[in-house]
Amino acid sequence: MNESDKHWLYRTTSRRTLWITGIAILIVTVISELFIKTHSHFAITGFFAFHAGFGFITCVAMVLFAKLLGFLVKRRDDYYDS
Amino acid sequence: MTPSLLHPGLILILGGFLYPLLKQPFRSLWALLLPLAALLLVWLIPDGHFLSLSFMGYNLQPMVLDSLSRLFITVFSLMTFAGVLFCYKQAGLTELSAALVYAGAAIGVTLAGDLLTLFIFWEFMALASTLVIWSAKNKKSWHAGMRYISMHLLGGVILMVGICAYTNETGNILFTAMHPDSFSTWLILIGFLVNVAAPPFSAWLPDAYPEASFSGMVFLSAFTTKTAVYVLLRGFPGTELLIYIGLFMIFYGIIYALLENDMRRILAYSIVNQVGFMVCGIGIGTELALNGAAAHAFTHIIYKALLLMSAGSVLYMTGKRKCSDLGGLFQTMPLTCLCGVIGALSISAFPLTSGFVSKSMMTQAAGSEHMLMVWLLLQAASAGVFLHAGIKFPWFVFFQKDSGLRPGEPPLNMRLAMIFFAVLCIVIGIIPGVFYQMLPYTIDYVPYTADHVVLQLHLLLFAGLAFFVMLPMMQRTLTISLDFDWFYRVFLFRIWSAVLAGTRFLQRLLQGLRQLLVPVLLGQIIRFCGQRGLLVRDVQTGIVVLLAVLFLMAYMLFYLING
């Protein structure tokens, strides 16, 4: 299928645009923290961009853990059929 | 007849039994009106207990209504109405009839003021929900239903033993808050935990629910686990153990959903994950946390049903349920996609959706109680929800690669049901005030503060970034993941096979011995007892006379000697 026949979401150029837009949104939301007064229950969680970093790191950790666990527990999807 | 004499649960149960006997179009109208009648009733009846009965010297209270039970019955009724609307033209008679009975039984549990009434409706729920699973009418659903009912009957037996012991210990059958500090209360707690899909019983849910029909799973997602949340809220608030059980469920749901390829199994694991939040909130036990757990049960039923309606519509229109077979459906199913995305945003607790106004209460409660680890884990889990359900489900089903499938939108009634619940997700998210007034405790909680909104967006958007960065590691494979059900599907089966093999070996051994010993024994028997055997040989009359004379002579001889 030609690039022009594809839906714009599937075009190679759109992918780049989407990444740039997404990263721009991320930057704007992080910067916005500078302009609001935050209140944290705990001293160690109150620093700038804690939630952003925590969300990213914990999600990467969860994907890696799932990948590792997958080596142990994944089976072909007809496993129980046999 | 005053409304307080009508039991909303029994109306649905009896209505469900009557449903197959009616003719169209009254049948469909009947099914749509029943949940609305239950909803109307529950708002007409004031707080209090009604219909008291006496049974074996115990005072039963089958209908106790307060703000907590009203909240749950409201969402159960709304769910039943939307579920019926979603499938009244497509689902079979058995499925809808069973679904109505199932919903009625769930309402019955919610209204139960005593443990016996609770147990009766609890078991009704197990039977009716199994029928919903079997209504898919295929071999897989049959086997899954058998495993499901076995697990729930086991849970029921544990619960019944606990109730008997509790009644014996306390002389009280009323369902009130208790502590797991005795044999009976432990058994009751375990009975409840089986239905809430707590470890090690979590596997029954993702094993059974996805084998129901495209519409059956919508009903299944709502009642069993949420009635279990309700009874935990009423029976074991503030039990610390529930915090750890809930946290385990949360991460179990996320990790297994990340590994899964079947879109409805992803959502099934996600139910365990979301119920984990509620169980954790019940464990924290403050008024804010309990309100959060109750509120989250309410919003969860709606957005989970919406997600499953969206997935069900895809299954109905394409016949496919594996992520590896799907993708690109947003092009021809834009409304289904939009509703799925709204459900996904709600489950992720995005601002302006229902999940945001309910889930944040539990995290806030952990913070207020200075539970740092619990708070951190709940925050990580919130990010993880966006990862496994918020993005993964819509991404792999509606976007990712173009699968080439071009199904249309589902029929009008299915679309209307999705729109109804999508609107509810947004309305509750934007105007939470009315919803908060329905919660059991009066608290002053404001979800929309600038820092809460911004920090929640940080958490979720960066979870989204992690998803796309890690996407190469998350490509779908034609696999399933082993779970605790492996023990009773494979391990116990292997043990049983070993026992059978042992008995077969014993049988062969005995057969060999028989072949060896029987001819020898038979030979000896024939020798002594056969036709010419020593013991049965024919004796001639002359010999007998001779023997008699000899015996007589011997007798006389002895007589003479002893004389």
Side-chain angles (χ1 to χ4, degrees):
Chain A
M1 192 186 279
N2 290 329
E3 276 288 294
S4 55
D5 295 336
K6 292 178 183 171
H7 190 279
W8 73 267
L9 261 179
Y10 291 119
R11 290 177 202 156
T12 319
T13 46
S14 307
R15 188 171 297 178
R16 192 162 173 269
T17 316
L18 284 169
W19 267 106
I20 292 168
T21 315
I23 289 169
I25 291 170
L26 291 176
I27 293 168
V28 169
T29 51
V30 172
I31 291 172
S32 65
E33 192 177 335
L34 294 170
F35 303 102
I36 57 164
K37 192 180 173 192
T38 57
H39 161 257
S40 179
H41 291 287
F42 310 100
I44 61 161
T45 64
F47 61 84
F48 177 71
F50 169 79
H51 286 74
F54 189 70
F56 183 79
I57 291 166
T58 49
C59 283
V60 169
M62 281 185 261
V63 173
L64 290 175
F65 181 77
K67 191 79 183 168
L68 285 175
L69 188 70
F71 290 121
L72 189 70
V73 299
K74 267 192 173 186
R75 296 289 185 277
R76 282 168 54 98
D77 61 1
D78 59 356
Y79 176 76
Y80 285 119
D81 300 338
S82 55
Chain B
M1 189 181 283
T2 59
S4 56
L5 291 175
L6 294 169
H7 188 292
L10 283 180
I11 286 177
L12 274 172
I13 292 174
L14 295 175
F17 282 126
L18 272 176
Y19 171 78
L21 306 175
L22 300 172
K23 299 276 179 211
Q24 286 291 28
F26 301 107
R27 189 197 290 152
S28 298
L29 195 65
W30 177 253
L32 285 165
L33 287 178
L34 280 172
L36 293 181
L39 182 64
L40 184 69
L41 265 179
V42 85
W43 282 95
L44 285 178
I45 303 172
D47 284 4
H49 60 86
F50 311 94
L51 308 170
S52 285
L53 299 168
S54 185
F55 176 75
M56 291 173 69
Y58 291 108
N59 175 32
L60 303 186
Q61 296 185 347
M63 193 166 148
V64 178
L65 199 59
D66 60 10
S67 53
L68 183 63
S69 47
R70 187 175 285 110
L71 178 81
F72 274 78
I73 295 169
T74 301
V75 73
F76 286 159
S77 308
L78 287 171
M79 171 62 233
T80 313
F81 172 75
V84 172
L85 179 62
F86 181 68
C87 65
Y88 73 92
K89 283 186 177 171
Q90 292 80 18
L93 272 183
T94 319
E95 182 177 304
L96 262 183
S97 175
L100 289 169
V101 174
Y102 182 27
I107 292 176
V109 169
T110 314
L111 282 171
D114 65 88
L115 291 164
L116 185 63
T117 310
L118 185 149
F119 178 78
I120 291 167
F121 283 116
W122 193 263
E123 292 303 290
F124 244 94
M125 230 173 32
L127 295 174
S129 53
T130 308
L131 267 181
V132 173
I133 296 170
W134 281 340
S135 298
K137 291 179 184 166
N138 57 52
K139 203 175 159 189
K140 275 194 159 185
S141 70
W142 169 256
H143 289 299
M146 286 303 285
R147 288 191 295 275
Y148 172 86
I149 189 74
S150 307
M151 182 58 80
H152 284 271
L153 291 181
L154 172 72
V157 169
I158 296 171
L159 179 62
M160 188 72 237
V161 175
I163 291 172
C164 291
Y166 180 78
T167 312
N168 189 40
E169 274 171 25
T170 62
N172 180 24
I173 204 165
L174 294 182
F175 181 35
T176 50
M178 47 189 103
H179 299 286
D181 52 8
S182 68
F183 174 71
S184 60
T185 46
W186 267 110
L187 288 183
I188 292 173
L189 178 61
I190 292 169
F192 290 167
L193 287 174
V194 171
N195 271 26
V196 92
F201 312 111
S202 307
W204 66 256
L205 197 158
D207 173 31
Y209 284 3
E211 301 310 329
S213 73
F214 77 96
S215 50
M217 192 172 170
V218 176
F219 290 106
L220 290 163
S221 72
F223 301 119
T224 302
T225 47
K226 257 57 75 184
T227 44
V229 166
Y230 169 82
V231 292
L232 285 176
L233 262 167
R234 208 174 262 307
F236 296 93
T239 302
E240 194 183 342
L241 175 69
L242 294 179
I243 297 177
Y244 311 113
I245 291 177
L247 286 172
F248 182 91
M249 290 169 70
I250 287 171
F251 287 99
Y252 158 87
I254 293 173
I255 300 298
Y256 270 80
L258 284 174
L259 289 170
E260 189 52 55
N261 184 34
D262 182 322
M263 64 172 172
R264 296 208 308 167
R265 282 175 70 90
I266 292 173
L267 296 177
Y269 284 119
S270 162
I271 295 174
V272 181
N273 159 272
Q274 292 295 295
V275 171
F277 276 97
M278 300 165 212
V279 172
C280 187
I282 297 167
I284 294 170
T286 60
E287 288 191 349
L288 182 62
L290 295 175
N291 258 5
H296 205 52
F298 190 102
T299 58
H300 168 78
I301 286 174
I302 294 170
Y303 60 64
K304 181 59 72 180
L306 177 59
L307 282 164
L308 283 165
M309 284 176 188
S310 174
S313 299
V314 169
L315 178 61
Y316 183 73
M317 297 306 292
T318 65
K320 296 181 188 302
R321 47 191 265 194
K322 291 176 185 170
C323 290
S324 45
D325 296 334
L326 296 164
L329 301 185
F330 75 95
Q331 298 170 82
T332 53
M333 300 182 83
L335 181 78
T336 309
C337 172
L338 178 67
C339 291
V341 168
I342 291 174
L345 293 176
S346 299
I347 198 172
S348 311
F350 245 85
L352 305 181
T353 65
S354 57
F356 180 75
V357 301
S358 58
K359 192 194 285 175
S360 52
M361 271 190 261
M362 286 174 288
T363 345
Q364 168 92 15
S368 302
E369 293 301 299
H370 306 291
M371 297 172 167
L372 175 62
M373 276 314 292
V374 176
W375 185 85
L376 284 172
L377 289 169
L378 287 177
Q379 290 289 358
S382 298
V385 172
F386 190 44
L387 191 71
H388 85 272
I391 309 183
K392 184 178 172 178
F393 166 71
W395 174 258
F396 282 109
V397 173
F398 296 108
F399 300 100
Q400 60 151 339
K401 64 181 195 305
D402 188 350
S403 61
L405 296 169
R406 295 290 184 267
E409 292 283 13
L412 179 66
N413 61 308
M414 293 169 73
R415 297 202 300 273
L416 285 176
M418 284 193 285
I419 293 169
F420 173 47
F421 266 9
V423 169
L424 263 185
C425 282
I426 302 289
V427 168
I428 294 172
I430 295 176
I431 322 163
V434 179
F435 173 55
Y436 282 167
Q437 282 174 12
M438 290 163 62
L439 299 180
Y441 300 102
T442 309
I443 46 148
D444 183 25
Y445 177 70
V446 183
Y448 287 106
T449 57
D451 66 333
H452 185 203
V453 172
V454 168
L455 298 181
Q456 180 73 358
L457 281 175
H458 283 184
L459 196 72
L460 297 180
L461 293 178
F462 277 82
L465 176 67
F467 177 86
F468 288 108
V469 169
M470 304 298 280
L471 200 53
M473 293 185 79
M474 296 170 70
Q475 290 312 314
R476 298 298 81 226
T477 50
L478 291 170
T479 51
I480 54 154
S481 305
L482 299 185
D483 200 338
F484 185 76
D485 60 344
W486 180 85
F487 284 97
Y488 50 84
R489 294 175 75 175
V490 176
F491 183 67
L492 285 183
F493 182 75
R494 282 179 187 167
I495 287 185
W496 179 240
S497 303
V499 170
L500 285 182
T503 51
R504 273 197 293 271
F505 173 73
L506 199 65
Q507 186 191 16
R508 277 201 296 274
L509 189 75
L510 290 174
Q511 269 176 347
L513 279 174
R514 192 186 68 183
Q515 282 168 0
L516 197 73
L517 291 176
V518 166
V520 176
L521 283 172
L522 216 56
Q524 292 303 314
I525 290 168
I526 289 168
R527 190 177 154 207
F528 286 101
C529 307
Q531 205 170 11
R532 292 182 178 280
L534 196 60
L535 298 176
V536 290
R537 194 179 292 161
D538 289 342
V539 183
Q540 289 175 353
T541 315
I543 295 172
V544 175
V545 173
L546 179 65
L547 281 173
V549 171
L550 283 174
F551 275 119
L552 194 60
M553 282 172 69
Y555 173 74
M556 287 175 72
L557 195 64
F558 277 117
Y559 182 76
L560 285 171
I561 292 167
N562 291 321

